[in-house]
Amino acid sequence: VEGLLSRGDRRVGDVIRAVYESGGRFDGWREHFSYDRWMIAADKTLPDHGVDVAWYTTRERSYEEVLPWDHLDSGLDKDWLWEDWQDALDETEVDDCRWTPCFDCGVCPQMDTEIQIGPTGKKLLPLTVVNK
């Protein structure tokens, strides 16, 4: 359901409405969530649009595909995100840019932020165990 909602476009609005109309409320709470209700609503509404849940959630996408969030500016360039995705698929380790040269993702200059380069000498995690 999270994959459907996060990758969905306007057509998923029909699914959300159908879930609501069938009694879905507070689905973020485990005791109210019904996976079956969501899948029944999707099976009822998505075929009218020529798609199904798997089309949104599990199919491979190409670089050229327009994604539902492409109109949003997150500060990250689509080319950079695609290359990062390919690295993840290839299981290529990418160094943490706080300690290595910049990977030019575009966040820092666009978000008006500064990343600390190199160790600060500060203790970043609590290293002492607290017994209660």
Side-chain angles (χ1 to χ4, degrees), residues 51-62:
V51 295
D52 60 9
V53 172
W55 189 84
Y56 285 111
T57 58
T58 58
R59 71 182 169 82
E60 292 291 325
R61 289 167 169 73
S62 71

Side-chain angles (χ1 to χ4, degrees), residues 7 18 25 34 39 47-48 51 70 72 79 88 91 93 99-100 103-104 107-108 118-119 121 126 131-132:
R7 295 179 187 99
R25 308 285 190 285
S34 169
M39 292 305 105
D48 292 342
V51 295
D70 279 350
L72 302 174
D79 292 334
E91 299 180 15
E93 288 189 31
W99 320 118
T100 62
F103 290 109
D104 203 23
V107 170
C108 302
N131 293 323
K132 291 185 178 186

Side-chain angles (χ1 to χ4, degrees), residues 96-103 108 113-121:
D96 185 332
C97 66
R98 291 175 296 175
W99 320 118
T100 62
C102 179
F103 290 109
C108 302
T113 61
E114 291 180 21
I115 288 185
Q116 297 174 355
I117 303 296
T120 63

Side-chain angles (χ1 to χ4, degrees), residues 2 20 48 76 100-101 111 119 126 129:
E2 288 177 357
Y20 174 79
D48 292 342
L76 292 173
T100 62
M111 301 294 284
V129 177

